[in-house]
Amino acid sequence: ATGTHSWYRLPIQAGGVRFHVAHHASMGGKELSRGTAAAGMAVDTLTYCAAHNMTIPDVVVRSHNHRWAVSGTTYPVRAVGMPAWQLATAYVNARKAMSIADVGLCVWLCERGEYTMHPIRFQPKEDRYWTSP
């Protein structure tokens, strides 16, 4: 009841499912596979919760890496790296010339401590090749 309508970090429970949502997920500036990145998010969450005597969330959601990444069910927390809401900016294109960001969102349906995850993906059109006149 603080009047805040957006959060940098949001621990929230919906339908008995505990989520921890944050805008950033640090990948240390490394190019990681999607599975490795999501597994890293899951392990980081478990380590942090253990070090701070916190309840482990069921799902941890992180963004700002512009790639889908899902850890699966290997860990007691499921980590989901969310895609972008936009295509790559000029800054990203300058750094990664062949990179097209994943674009989409994810909907979770939660009831009685169980959830289903429904990713919705948008496929951007490829650049057309320039041809000389």
Side-chain angles (χ1 to χ4, degrees):
T2 63
T4 301
H5 298 285
S6 66
W7 295 266
Y8 187 76
R9 290 177 195 86
L10 176 64
I12 188 170
Q13 186 167 314
V17 179
R18 293 180 311 276
F19 289 86
H20 191 278
V21 182
H23 184 239
H24 281 84
S26 175
M27 294 297 137
K30 299 175 186 170
E31 278 294 322
L32 300 173
S33 73
R34 295 168 198 241
T36 303
M41 286 186 270
V43 170
D44 286 350
T45 300
L46 293 171
T47 303
Y48 185 87
C49 288
H52 294 88
N53 198 28
M54 295 173 60
T55 302
I56 298 168
D58 299 304
V59 180
V60 62
V61 180
R62 299 293 185 260
S63 300
H64 206 77
N65 289 300
H66 302 269
R67 294 279 178 249
W68 285 100
V70 181
S71 67
T73 57
T74 303
Y75 303 99
V77 59
R78 186 172 199 180
V80 180
M82 295 297 296
W85 277 104
Q86 67 182 31
L87 294 176
T89 62
Y91 172 76
V92 172
N93 281 325
R95 293 184 65 215
K96 299 178 181 181
M98 293 298 289
S99 180
I100 297 177
D102 293 332
V103 179
L105 59 110
C106 201
V107 175
W108 282 269
L109 300 177
C110 306
E111 189 173 20
R112 293 193 269 285
E114 300 290 327
Y115 69 90
T116 55
M117 184 178 81
H118 303 276
I120 300 171
R121 302 165 192 247
F122 300 97
Q123 183 62 47
K125 294 179 181 176
E126 287 187 40
D127 288 340
R128 292 182 292 157
Y129 282 94
W130 178 84
T131 57
S132 61

